[in-house]
Amino acid sequence: MTIRFIILILTLAMLLLLPSNVHAVAYCSLRDPVAQIAQLYPQKTNQLSIVKTVDDNIRAQVQIALPSNDLHFSELGRHTLYIAMKGQEVLGYVHVRSEQSAWGLVEIVWAIDKDLRIRDFVFQRCRSPKKKIAQHSDFKDIFIGKNYQELKQQLSADGITAKPSVLSHAQGAAELANVVLRCALKTLLLTEILWGDELEKL
């Protein structure tokens, strides 16, 4: 056995012995917070941010609420909720989440109003050929103005796809609508679980 091989074996053994709650930094983050928040809230003058950690306990809560759409282990870690402000007035919240799709990760920046309803959303990353359709108001109207419970009612029995009556309004982008719906549900649920107490104080 060479020294390099022994070091490699020891390194692998140490990695396997690390506690299971050690996770990489979550990949849900805004690339340019100032510009992206201004796009969703043009009237905002400033912003606040609250960072919280998604751990195994939070993941278990999501799994109970959305059994077919639980969080992937790589989603564990620190997440930031941005609060769009106009002076001292809270305009709403901004949170970015990633969702797996047939075209790789889809990253969506969500604007959420003070009643925890979807106000708007934009794609930070999306390789779907239907992305342009999903940027039109007809597609967005499937989600905008709805809260968690209303969106959950749009899920079909499999808990993964939207009901046919919902997909009929997706302008031919049914698969992307399914991805956006799952992402929206997790976004609203996590916003309530992680930041609900702080948002009540605001």
Side-chain angles (χ1 to χ4, degrees):
M1 271 192 209
T2 66
I3 300 244
R4 272 190 194 165
F5 183 73
I6 293 171
I7 291 172
L8 177 62
I9 295 297
L10 289 173
T11 303
L12 289 172
M14 287 174 59
L15 288 172
L16 290 172
L17 293 173
L18 282 173
S20 61
N21 61 349
V22 175
H23 304 287
V25 174
Y27 50 76
C28 303
S29 60
L30 283 175
R31 293 185 186 138
D32 186 354
V34 174
Q36 288 172 294
I37 295 171
Q39 180 182 359
L40 293 165
Y41 293 94
Q43 67 275 45
K44 74 109 177 169
T45 57
N46 53 305
Q47 64 201 41
L48 304 173
S49 61
I50 309 172
V51 180
K52 288 289 192 77
T53 300
V54 175
D55 57 17
D56 289 320
N57 175 51
I58 300 296
R59 182 175 181 265
Q61 291 181 56
V62 172
Q63 194 165 28
I64 291 168
L66 296 167
S68 302
N69 293 287
D70 65 328
L71 300 178
H72 190 272
F73 282 108
S74 59
E75 292 185 79
L76 303 179
R78 293 166 68 81
H79 293 257
T80 303
L81 182 75
Y82 294 91
I83 302 161
M85 309 282 292
K86 183 178 181 181
Q88 298 299 312
E89 177 192 358
V90 174
L91 299 174
Y93 317 117
V94 175
H95 185 46
V96 59
R97 290 211 54 75
S98 300
E99 188 68 28
Q100 293 283 353
S101 77
W103 323 280
L105 282 179
V106 175
E107 297 175 3
I108 305 174
V109 184
W110 295 97
I112 305 165
D113 71 18
K114 290 184 282 186
D115 295 319
L116 297 187
R117 294 178 178 273
I118 300 297
R119 182 180 185 274
D120 198 0
F121 64 92
V122 294
F123 293 101
Q124 179 169 257
R125 170 183 173 170
C126 180
R127 293 178 177 166
S128 166
K130 306 288 187 177
K131 178 182 175 181
K132 287 186 178 178
I133 293 174
Q135 292 170 328
H136 290 294
S137 59
D138 289 343
F139 182 95
K140 287 190 170 189
D141 284 345
I142 298 171
F143 311 96
I144 290 176
K146 295 180 176 66
N147 61 23
Y148 172 79
Q149 290 301 331
E150 290 167 328
L151 287 174
K152 195 170 181 182
Q153 290 172 5
Q154 294 187 352
L155 278 175
S156 62
D158 65 12
I160 299 172
T161 59
K163 291 177 178 177
S165 58
V166 174
L167 296 179
S168 67
H169 299 287
Q171 307 296 310
E175 287 304 315
L176 188 52
N178 290 329
V179 170
V180 174
L181 177 58
R182 292 195 299 269
C183 190
L185 283 165
K186 291 180 191 177
T187 298
L188 292 176
L189 182 59
L190 281 170
T191 300
E192 175 65 29
I193 293 172
L194 277 178
W195 294 285
D197 292 341
E198 285 84 354
L199 300 185
E200 278 188 23
K201 293 172 187 175
L202 287 171

